[in-house]
Amino acid sequence: MTKIVFNNNEVVFMEGSVSYLKSKINVLQGTGYLTSKRFVFCKRTGLLNALLGSLFVHLIKGKNIMFEINLDNIESINGLKHGFAKKYILRDKNGNEFALQFIRKDKWLKAIKEAVKFNNPLVNINQVGDYIQFKF
């Protein structure tokens, strides 16, 4: 796995705890990084998750990149019911989908919209309920 590195011209807008729902039984805890160029999910190591438990694990940042999406490649974000919470499906222009859960979802969604607009001021952002579409 690749360690996260930020370029000199890359500004970090937001970072925080994010869960990546890789499959129905495979959920990875990690750190989401939203920059002026991309959204990156870095998983935390399994040993740290096990040792620290769910209360303190948010103090440790993930550094190993599991996936990243360039902001100009995000097609949509769709919020779907997932148990008692919601999962947010980030879909890219290639049809890849990444199911995420955010601790502070409203702040994350607002930041993603602002970052995409910052990256490409000509983008049209359409939102209906929990569905956000980016048209370049």
Side-chain angles (χ1 to χ4, degrees):
M1 279 184 260
T2 306
K3 297 265 186 204
I4 189 160
V5 176
F6 300 108
N7 301 325
N8 291 340
N9 61 348
E10 191 171 21
V11 178
V12 178
F13 289 134
M14 187 170 178
E15 67 180 61
S17 292
V18 175
S19 298
Y20 171 37
L21 293 81
K22 196 170 180 178
S23 69
K24 289 184 180 183
I25 59 172
N26 190 2
V27 177
L28 302 175
Q29 301 298 321
T31 304
Y33 296 93
L34 179 63
T35 75
S36 54
K37 303 285 183 198
R38 58 195 171 137
F39 175 84
V40 183
F41 176 81
C42 297
K43 83 171 199 169
R44 294 187 192 102
T45 60
L47 184 57
L48 278 176
N49 279 339
L51 292 176
L52 293 176
S54 61
L55 292 177
F56 298 107
V57 76
H58 302 291
L59 301 175
I60 304 297
K61 295 180 183 177
K63 298 291 181 191
N64 295 318
I65 296 175
M66 289 298 298
F67 71 86
E68 64 181 88
I69 305 172
N70 289 332
L71 294 182
D72 57 0
N73 200 29
I74 295 177
E75 183 176 277
S76 64
I77 302 171
N78 192 14
L80 302 172
K81 189 165 175 49
H82 183 76
F84 294 112
K86 282 199 173 186
K87 64 181 177 182
Y88 291 87
I89 310 294
L90 269 71
R91 182 181 173 92
D92 69 17
K93 292 178 183 176
N94 299 324
N96 299 312
E97 295 183 339
F98 304 93
L100 305 171
Q101 287 185 315
F102 302 107
I103 299 287
R104 299 176 356 220
K105 69 164 180 75
D106 292 332
K107 191 170 182 176
W108 271 104
L109 295 175
K110 180 181 178 188
I112 291 170
K113 289 189 292 187
E114 290 173 354
V116 170
K117 192 73 166 174
F118 176 85
N119 189 51
N120 186 345
L122 300 177
V123 67
N124 288 323
I125 301 173
N126 300 318
Q127 183 170 359
V128 177
D130 285 328
Y131 181 74
I132 304 166
Q133 185 178 33
F134 303 95
K135 292 187 178 183
F136 296 90

